[in-house]
């Protein structure tokens, strides 16, 4: 496998829609996507159920996902308390978002930058106290890093400082997250270089992109050029964008997997099996729009998958 596609639909997609997917459908979705070759899935978020009833069953989803061999079970946590729940449930990977826009951080999680760094430190300390085999991978994700709907552009100097503080707090990895869909290919290049310059190449390998303004796959290409190897996406682009009707939320997993495969990059994913997983979403979320070009257009005649050849 050359590039890891990290499916985030069960977390980012489901949290963006009002309908609640039944637990049985979540399990079927995750199992089917893993069977199609997806190696990492962000299955939920450990936030209070009153804030996100769509993800209230995350502990049960994690327990199920852990039974799938070879699958990295990832979750999002808003703070150290959420991380404790994630560890108790047995998550393999924990992501703590840190909004580089302090206004957004206060509005979203009611915490300043200093308070969020303290949460990161507390989580790293908890993880370090676990036996080595039980330690989840801990990622600090710089969100709104390409710009914020409240503050606009965020100064590079602040982004660099926060990346350094997350690394010093004990995060194994620092991620970039285009929460607002503001990224463009040049900005991807610039920020990967900036943050890698602070934390080192091996501690920034992935990016979380949205397709709000149609630049999602172009931004992936820029990320590939810059040396990134992990890309977040969501099956059917689930969730959409409330501000831009017709626009997907995350980039579409099917289209991303197709682009990489067509370029000769092995993702380990069987495209036909992946497309078939959409049926589970269509049946369990009636009326919810699903996006993607590949599912409608189909594979080109004579298409030869690198995954199948490998
Ligand atoms: Zn997102």
């Amino acid at each position: 496998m050359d590039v890891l596609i990290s499916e985030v639909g069960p977390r980012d997609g489901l949290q963006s829609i009002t309908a609640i997917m039944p637990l049985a459908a979540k399990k079927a979705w995750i199992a089917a996507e893993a069977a199609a070759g997806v190696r990492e899935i962000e299955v939920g978020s450990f936030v209070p159920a009153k804030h996100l009833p769509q993800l209230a069953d995350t502990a049960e989803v994690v327990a199920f996902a852990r039974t799938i061999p070879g699958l990295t079970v990832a979750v999002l946590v808003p703070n150290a308390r959420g991380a404790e729940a994630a560890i108790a449930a047995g998550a393999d990977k924990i992501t703590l978002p840190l909004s580089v826009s302090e206004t957004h951080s206060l509005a979203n999680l009611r915490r300043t930058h200093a308070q969020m760094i303290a949460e990161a430190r507390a989580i790293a300390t908890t993880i370090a106290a676990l036996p080595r085999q039980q330690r989840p991978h801990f990622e600090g994700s710089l969100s709104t890093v390409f710009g914020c709907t409240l503050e606009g552009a965020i100064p590079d100097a602040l982004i660099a400082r926060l990346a350094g503080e997350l690394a010093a707090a004990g995060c194994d990895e620092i991620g970039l997250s285009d929460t607002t869909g503001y990224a463009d290919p040049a900005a991807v290049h610039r920020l990967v270089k900036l943050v890698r310059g602070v934390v080192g190449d091996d501690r920034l390998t992935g990016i979380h992109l949205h397709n709000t303004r149609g630049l999602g796959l172009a931004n992936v290409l820029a990320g590939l050029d810059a040396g990134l190897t992990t890309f977040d996406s969501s099956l059917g682009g689930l969730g959409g964008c409330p501000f831009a009707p017709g626009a997907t939320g995350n980039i579409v997993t099917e289209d991303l997997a197709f682009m990489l495969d067509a370029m000769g990059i092995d993702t380990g994913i069987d495209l036909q099996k992946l497309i078939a997983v959409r049926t589970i979403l269509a049946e369990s979320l009636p009326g919810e729009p699903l996006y993607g070009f590949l599912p409608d257009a189909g594979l080109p005649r004579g298409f030869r998958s690198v995954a199948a050849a490998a």
Side-chain angles (χ1 to χ4, degrees):
M1 189 178 63
D2 303 317
V3 161
L4 176 69
I5 291 182
S6 181
E7 169 67 46
V8 297
R11 196 277 302 170
D12 211 354
L14 290 181
Q15 81 171 40
S16 309
I17 62 175
T18 46
I20 297 179
M21 183 183 271
L23 177 60
K26 290 186 184 181
K27 290 180 180 177
W29 175 6
I30 291 162
E33 237 185 285
V38 174
R39 306 286 207 281
E40 180 174 297
I41 304 181
E42 193 172 70
V43 302
S45 182
F46 283 96
V47 290
K50 65 172 191 248
H51 293 314
L52 279 180
Q54 303 95 314
L55 306 181
D57 54 8
T58 294
E60 288 156 281
V61 180
V62 170
F64 168 77
R66 284 184 63 191
T67 65
I68 301 172
L71 180 69
T72 298
V73 182
V75 294
L76 200 80
V77 302
N79 50 40
R81 196 172 178 176
E84 274 163 36
I87 290 165
D92 300 311
K93 180 177 171 185
I94 293 175
T95 298
L96 175 78
L98 165 65
S99 185
V100 297
S101 157
E102 196 156 41
T103 313
H104 180 265
S105 184
L106 285 164
N108 200 33
L109 296 176
R110 291 198 205 86
R111 280 180 174 80
T112 63
H113 283 155
Q115 286 171 319
M116 287 305 294
I117 297 294
E119 296 288 337
R121 204 176 296 118
I123 294 169
T125 304
T126 303
I127 291 172
L130 296 169
R132 190 167 289 276
Q133 326 82 271
Q134 290 173 29
R135 289 178 200 162
H137 190 69
F138 179 31
E139 178 191 24
S141 177
L142 297 166
S143 61
T144 67
V145 77
F146 293 95
C148 168
T149 51
L150 305 169
E151 281 194 32
I154 307 297
D156 281 5
L158 175 58
I159 293 169
R161 176 167 71 76
L162 291 170
E165 288 181 11
L166 276 179
C171 290
D172 301 310
E173 191 175 333
I174 311 300
L176 300 178
S177 181
D178 183 19
T179 321
T180 53
Y182 283 13
D184 65 78
V188 169
H189 266 286
R190 196 187 83 247
L191 286 180
V192 168
K193 199 173 170 209
L194 175 81
V195 173
R196 279 188 157 182
V198 177
V199 304
D201 288 5
D202 56 336
R203 278 172 107 180
L204 169 58
T205 61
I207 192 163
H208 177 96
L209 294 163
H210 284 209
N211 195 40
T212 319
R213 291 170 178 78
L215 300 188
L217 289 181
N219 293 335
V220 168
L221 212 49
L224 276 174
D225 269 354
L228 300 183
T229 51
T230 299
F231 298 90
D232 290 3
S233 62
S234 149
L235 194 80
L238 187 68
C241 172
F243 316 106
T248 60
N250 299 106
I251 46 179
V252 176
T253 304
E254 301 90 309
D255 293 346
L256 172 62
F258 169 64
M259 182 184 83
L260 295 171
D261 199 335
M263 292 170 69
I265 295 168
D266 185 12
T267 63
I269 294 173
D270 180 317
L271 294 171
Q272 301 286 15
K273 281 189 187 167
L274 183 70
I275 292 169
V277 184
R278 290 164 70 95
T279 310
I280 297 169
L281 270 63
E283 283 171 0
S284 59
L285 298 169
E288 203 60 56
L290 295 180
Y291 304 90
F293 291 97
L294 179 72
D296 287 341
L299 289 168
R301 179 174 296 276
F303 183 79
R304 296 182 65 156
S305 166
V306 283

